[in-house]
């Protein structure tokens, strides 16, 4: 069956349908994420002011916290200044 013209087509099709190579991704690393540093800052500061009683009050406290942080760029810049998160600025 070496003379079968479909055999060459089949072989060509198999070559074109190769599976992509697999690459393993790193595990989740919250210390490498500046968002997680902001969340940790929020969690550290909220209990000092008041305990929210209900979802609406918690949302209001969270918005208040981030509005304050908008006026404190030196603190926000600190989220990106650590040795583990400097890759974000590069």
């Amino acid at each position: 069956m070496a003379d079968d013209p479909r055999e060459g087509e089949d072989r060509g099709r198999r070559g074109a349908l190769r599976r992509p190579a697999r690459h393993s991704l790193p595990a989740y690393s919250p210390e490498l994420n500046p968002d997680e540093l902001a969340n940790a800052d929020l969690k550290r500061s909220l209990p000092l002011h008041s305990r929210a009683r209900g979802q609406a009050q918690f949302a209001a406290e969270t918005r208040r916290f981030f509005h304050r942080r908008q006026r404190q760029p030196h603190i926000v810049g600190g989220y990106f200044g650590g040795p583990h998160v400097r890759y974000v600025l590069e």
Side-chain angles (χ1 to χ4, degrees):
M1 289 233 152
D3 295 330
D4 190 2
R6 289 178 292 168
E7 188 176 311
E9 290 174 8
D10 230 14
R11 203 176 307 148
R13 225 178 295 141
R14 276 190 217 125
L17 296 177
R18 289 186 182 159
R19 293 180 184 239
R22 289 186 179 193
H23 299 281
S24 60
L25 298 174
Y28 177 67
S29 302
E31 71 274 4
L32 300 178
N33 189 347
D35 291 339
E36 295 295 337
L37 297 175
N39 290 338
D41 190 17
L42 169 67
K43 289 177 185 178
R44 279 192 304 269
S45 72
L46 281 182
L48 299 176
H49 300 293
S50 65
R51 300 233 177 220
R53 297 175 192 223
Q55 186 175 0
Q57 188 179 2
F58 181 71
E61 289 290 327
T62 302
R63 278 192 297 276
R64 191 173 301 124
F65 169 80
F66 282 113
H67 282 289
R68 279 194 315 269
R69 283 295 180 254
Q70 283 180 335
R71 293 185 296 272
Q72 300 168 327
H74 60 283
I75 294 176
V76 175
Y79 300 152
F80 300 94
H84 297 306
V85 292
R86 288 190 189 189
Y87 74 94
V88 176
L89 298 176
E90 294 174 353

